[in-house]
């Protein structure tokens, strides 16, 4: 600091030295005051803090809504009468592993570990289904209040209320989320699960878009969308889970959206023609290639809960075409596993080019067989599928005695889905975290290294949901990670555990996942993965989840959400906030 002293010999308050010192002290204290104000982090208002809206405030909000406010609780609380005296514990115990039931509970996540909260000192706050653990039921990470949005106007009122009161916002649909983005301790929830409507329109043309589209509101789940598309003689690209409880217009689409028929028809984002979204300003905007095209680009892969609340999506649908499915089941011995995987990865690039999809599972806990493959060959006859797969199937039968194979022709996707997934046991309600990587086409060239990595993963899931049409679409056509356009598969490993583990036991699980992640990274250093099925331990999530699209995604984010109302774990703009995502970094 430069201080200039003016000599005033006759100053009544003392010498020029004293005057100079007084000025310096005043400037110093002013600088400290300004610095303190400017450096104080801006934090969202959370439940329990003095800034939290009053009962009157919430009553005013409720008066504008189509439904009463909701007060989410962990669904397991029904088994604790002191916490939830009106709860039905029998219902919870009967349905806790059913994805469609869990999606109907505002306070439920499909993986209940995301309902818990771990304090910095290692204390866990949770509500466990196993009451014999003797641990009290508490709220954990489940928001305490929210809006049951049934109309666009409900969403707009909720967004405006959250913005006016500077609340931490979470957008919650079905709770399928491996990054915990749709729940947060002390937050205000916008629950879109009941925004349900489906309209099929063969003449839907949003400002020049192609014909034959299906319109879904945000709460529609894939089992509903599949039935509607089939009833109208169409097929739609959607999520593949037992029961199809994933939302059709939520995070699945906004993260990219893959399917076993993606190699035939592209990713979910490649089939979106238009959507509507309530942004941080409270506006309900339509976005397509001609209107708000920057937002249309960003939301298709930029991540759920990041750019606003999507209230509807219009998907391009396709003609129903025949499909031949081939399943392989066995309890494979460790002695031949490597040889079988080697033959599989050698086979795959050619099948990918032909638009085939497949799911491979190895070492899945509780599975009937420890090794399963399901091939889906679109527009391929039974005879041609047999010719293509015969060498591989013969190889497997020669090295493994108990192999069961089936090759079944279907008239279309819907009957295939019902046969293989409609009757499967539910797989939700389990504590689980994932690590994943997209497997590039070049990685298949070094099949020895690829197989070595696959051998080190248990459980191993190897989903051939890329290549084909996915690779034919220009990487910059949508905001989704461009690594998808050079991928042939998505590889997973996972950790699953019983509820009630201690923090120390959980840290061991985390280390296993981090080690698996490092092994996957060795496949293609600096590679990418699928945002919706990913690890919370990525060292550089901006690159791994979004690739070289990140800067453009961030610019669009700042344009439509300049205050950061919509912030989620590892999402676009999350690096501007602290680890809790409650306080903005200075």
């Amino acid at each position: 600091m430069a201080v200039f002293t003016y000599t005033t010999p006759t100053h009544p308050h003392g010498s020029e030295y004293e005057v100079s010192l007084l000025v310096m002290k005043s400037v110093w204290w002013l600088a400290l005051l300004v610095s303190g104000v400017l450096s104080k982090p801006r934090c969202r208002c959370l439940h329990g803090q003095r800034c939290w809206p009053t009962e009157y405030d919430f009553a005013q909000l409720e008066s504008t809504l189509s439904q009463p406010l909701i007060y989410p609780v962990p669904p397991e609380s029904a088994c604790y009468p002191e916490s939830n005296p009106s709860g039905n514990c029998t219902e919870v115990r009967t349905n806790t592993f059913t994805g469609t039931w869990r999606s109907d509970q505002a306070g439920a996540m499909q993986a209940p570990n995301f309902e818990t909260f771990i304090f910095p000192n290692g204390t866990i706050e949770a509500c466990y289904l196993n009451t014999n653990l003797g641990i009290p039921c508490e709220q954990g990470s489940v928001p305490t209040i929210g809006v049951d949005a049934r109309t666009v106007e409900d969403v707009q009122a909720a967004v405006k209320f959250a913005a006016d009161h500077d609340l931490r916002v979470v957008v919650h649909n079905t709770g399928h989320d491996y990054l915990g983005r749709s729940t947060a301790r002390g937050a205000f929830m916008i629950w879109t699960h009941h925004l349900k409507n489906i309209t099929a329109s063969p003449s839907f043309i949003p400002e020049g878009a192609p014909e034959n589209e299906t319109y879904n509101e945000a709460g529609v789940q894939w089992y509903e969308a599949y039935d509607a598309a089939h009833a109208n003689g169409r097929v739609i690209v959607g999520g593949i889970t037992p029961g199809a409880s994933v939302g059709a217009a939520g995070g699945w689409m906004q993260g990219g959206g893959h399917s076993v028929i993606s190699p035939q028809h592209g990713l979910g984002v490649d089939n979106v023609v238009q959507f509507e979204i309530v942004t941080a300003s409270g506006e309900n905007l339509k976005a397509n290639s001609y209107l708000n095209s920057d937002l249309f680009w960003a939301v298709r892969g930029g991540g759920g809960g990041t750019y606003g609340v999507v209230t509807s999506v219009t998907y391009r649908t396709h003609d129903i075409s025949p499909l031949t499915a081939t399943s392989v089941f066995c309890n494979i011995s460790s002695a031949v596993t490597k040889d079988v995987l080697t033959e599989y990865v050698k086979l795959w690039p050619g099948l990918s080019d032909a638009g085939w999809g497949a799911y491979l599972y190895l070492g899945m806990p509780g599975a009937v067989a420890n090794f399963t493959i399901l091939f889906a060959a679109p527009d391929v006859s039974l005879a041609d599928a047999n010719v293509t797969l015969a060498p591989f199937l013969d190889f497997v039968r020669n090295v493994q005695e108990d192999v069961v194979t089936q090759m079944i022709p279907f008239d279309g996707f819907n009957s295939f889905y019902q046969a293989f997934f409609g009757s499967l046991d539910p797989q939700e309600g389990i504590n689980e975290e994932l690590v994943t990587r997209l497997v590039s086409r070049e990685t298949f060239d070094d099949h020895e290294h690829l197989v070595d990595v696959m051998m080190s993963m248990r459980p191993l899931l190897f989903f051939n949901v890329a290549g084909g049409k996915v690779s034919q679409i220009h990487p910059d056509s949508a905001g989704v990670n461009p690594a998808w356009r050079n991928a042939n598969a998505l590889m997973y490993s996972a950790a699953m555990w019983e509820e009630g583990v201690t923090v120390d036991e959980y840290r061991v699980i985390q280390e296993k996942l981090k080690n698996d992640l490092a092994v996957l990274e060795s496949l293609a250093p600096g590679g990418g993965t699928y945002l919706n099925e990913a690890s919370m331990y990525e060292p550089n999530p901006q690159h791994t989840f979004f690739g070289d699209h990140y800067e453009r995604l961030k610019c669009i984010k700042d344009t439509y959400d300049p205050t950061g109302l919509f912030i989620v774990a590892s999402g676009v703009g999350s690096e501007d906030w602290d680890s809790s995502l409650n306080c903005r970094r200075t």
Side-chain angles (χ1 to χ4, degrees):
M1 178 184 295
V3 178
F4 295 91
T5 303
Y6 293 90
T7 303
T8 312
T10 60
H11 198 286
H13 297 292
S15 71
E16 65 269 24
Y17 172 77
E18 291 172 322
V19 172
S20 175
L21 184 61
L22 179 63
V23 171
M24 289 181 67
K25 284 183 177 179
S26 299
V27 172
W28 180 62
W29 278 108
L30 179 62
L32 283 180
L33 177 63
V34 172
S35 174
V37 170
L38 294 179
S39 64
K40 183 179 180 180
R42 171 196 158 213
C43 297
R44 295 291 189 198
C45 182
L46 303 177
H47 177 258
Q49 296 178 342
R50 292 181 63 184
C51 56
W52 189 249
T54 65
E55 290 185 10
Y56 175 80
D57 294 328
F58 281 116
Q60 290 296 105
L61 169 63
E62 190 170 55
S63 70
T64 69
L65 301 173
S66 67
Q67 301 292 316
L69 290 169
I70 55 172
Y71 300 88
V73 294
E76 298 81 7
S77 64
C79 299
Y80 296 78
E82 67 280 8
S83 300
N84 186 359
S86 61
N88 186 337
C89 185
T90 301
E91 179 188 5
V92 175
R93 293 190 182 281
T94 300
N95 296 294
T96 192
F97 300 113
T98 304
T100 49
W101 180 85
R102 295 193 73 86
S103 67
D104 286 339
Q105 318 305 312
M109 296 290 285
Q110 299 291 340
N113 47 295
F114 290 104
E115 298 169 14
T116 66
F117 184 81
I118 302 178
F119 291 94
N121 66 2
T123 303
I124 299 176
E125 185 175 300
C127 188
Y128 298 124
L129 184 62
N130 183 1
T131 58
N132 293 326
L133 292 171
I135 299 173
C137 171
E138 298 180 280
Q139 192 76 10
S141 289
V142 178
T144 56
I145 195 168
V147 170
D148 180 4
R150 307 287 178 108
T151 67
V152 171
E153 291 76 17
D154 286 344
V155 175
Q156 291 177 297
V159 169
K160 185 178 186 304
F161 183 84
D164 288 346
H165 293 276
D166 208 14
L167 305 182
R168 172 76 184 275
V169 175
V170 295
V171 183
H172 185 94
N173 186 352
T174 65
H176 288 85
D177 190 351
Y178 290 103
L179 294 174
R181 296 168 295 178
S182 55
T183 193
R185 182 178 179 82
F188 174 70
M189 177 187 290
I190 302 176
W191 194 32
T192 62
H193 181 59
H194 290 126
L195 267 173
K196 290 184 182 288
N197 184 45
I198 303 175
T199 302
S201 175
S203 58
F204 183 88
I205 306 176
E207 307 219 13
E211 297 183 358
N212 297 319
E213 320 298 350
T214 295
Y215 163 92
N216 295 323
E217 289 203 3
V220 171
Q221 292 166 276
W222 280 117
Y223 72 90
E224 297 164 314
Y226 289 151
D227 289 346
H230 185 71
N232 284 276
R234 309 293 293 172
V235 65
I236 187 169
V237 177
I240 308 292
T241 58
S245 58
V246 175
W252 179 86
M253 178 278 292
Q254 294 171 69
H258 68 69
S259 168
V260 74
I261 58 174
S262 285
Q264 181 187 21
H265 294 303
L267 297 171
V269 293
D270 301 328
N271 289 277
V272 174
V273 177
Q274 178 175 285
F275 59 78
E276 295 185 27
I277 182 171
V278 176
T279 60
S281 67
E283 295 177 274
N284 186 48
L285 302 178
K286 285 187 178 180
N288 56 45
S289 296
Y290 308 93
L291 186 65
N292 298 308
S293 58
D294 56 346
L295 191 59
F296 183 63
W297 182 88
V299 171
R300 291 180 300 132
T306 298
Y307 292 89
V309 184
V310 172
T311 56
S312 72
V313 178
T314 302
Y315 285 100
R316 178 177 296 107
T317 59
H318 305 273
D319 293 330
I320 294 176
S321 59
L323 179 154
T324 297
T326 304
S327 59
V328 182
F329 300 91
C330 65
N331 284 304
I332 195 168
S333 67
S334 56
V336 302
T337 301
K338 185 172 184 177
D339 292 337
V340 171
L341 292 178
T342 299
E343 293 302 311
Y344 181 83
V345 300
K346 288 180 179 178
L347 175 72
W348 196 257
L351 297 184
S352 176
D353 290 343
W356 288 45
Y359 297 134
L360 181 152
Y361 304 87
L362 178 62
M364 291 295 292
V368 175
N370 70 2
F371 181 75
T372 302
I373 306 175
L374 177 62
F375 296 92
D379 284 325
V380 176
S381 68
L382 182 67
D384 288 344
N386 187 52
V387 169
T388 300
L389 291 181
F392 173 73
L393 297 178
D394 288 344
F395 178 86
V396 177
R397 294 187 191 103
N398 287 335
V399 298
Q400 184 70 36
E401 293 183 356
D402 66 341
V403 180
V404 176
T405 62
Q406 290 180 307
M407 192 171 288
I408 307 171
F410 292 96
D411 58 4
F413 169 79
N414 196 61
S415 54
F416 157 79
Y417 181 86
Q418 294 302 327
F420 283 98
F421 295 93
S423 61
L424 277 183
D425 291 336
Q427 298 175 335
E428 309 299 349
I430 299 169
N431 295 311
E432 182 178 16
E433 290 183 21
L434 302 178
V435 292
T436 63
R437 272 296 181 277
L438 287 163
V439 183
S440 69
R441 189 178 185 90
E442 292 77 15
T443 304
F444 279 78
D445 294 337
D446 186 1
H447 60 262
E448 291 185 5
H449 183 204
L450 175 56
V451 171
D452 285 342
V453 171
M454 294 172 75
M455 288 291 294
S456 70
M457 299 286 141
R458 292 297 182 277
L460 168 71
L461 296 83
F462 199 81
F463 287 4
N464 297 99
V465 291
K469 182 70 173 179
V470 176
S471 298
Q472 296 165 18
I473 296 173
H474 195 280
D476 292 334
S477 64
V480 70
N481 192 336
W484 272 105
R485 307 307 179 184
N486 190 42
N488 269 4
L490 179 63
M491 190 191 309
Y492 309 66
S493 189
M496 288 164 273
W497 64 94
E498 296 291 331
E499 61 182 1
V501 300
T502 65
V503 167
D504 288 342
E505 291 168 330
Y506 177 59
R507 299 302 181 215
V508 172
I509 294 167
Q510 288 180 307
E511 287 305 310
K512 185 265 185 191
L513 289 163
K514 291 175 183 178
N515 291 337
D516 284 351
L517 184 62
V519 174
L520 284 176
E521 174 69 7
S522 74
L523 277 174
T529 195
Y530 177 40
L531 171 64
N532 286 343
E533 295 169 332
S535 168
M536 298 189 292
Y537 314 114
E538 292 287 354
N540 186 2
Q542 287 78 33
H543 173 77
T544 306
F545 295 159
F546 307 104
D548 59 14
H549 286 168
Y550 187 76
E551 292 304 319
R552 183 179 173 189
L553 289 167
K554 181 65 162 58
C555 181
I556 297 169
K557 164 75 171 172
D558 291 341
T559 299
Y560 287 91
D561 185 16
T563 65
L565 181 64
F566 299 104
I567 296 295
V568 298
S570 299
V572 175
S574 62
E575 72 276 16
D576 295 338
W577 296 72
D578 67 6
S579 59
S580 73
L581 301 182
N582 292 325
C583 297
R584 193 156 200 158
R585 300 182 193 277
T586 56

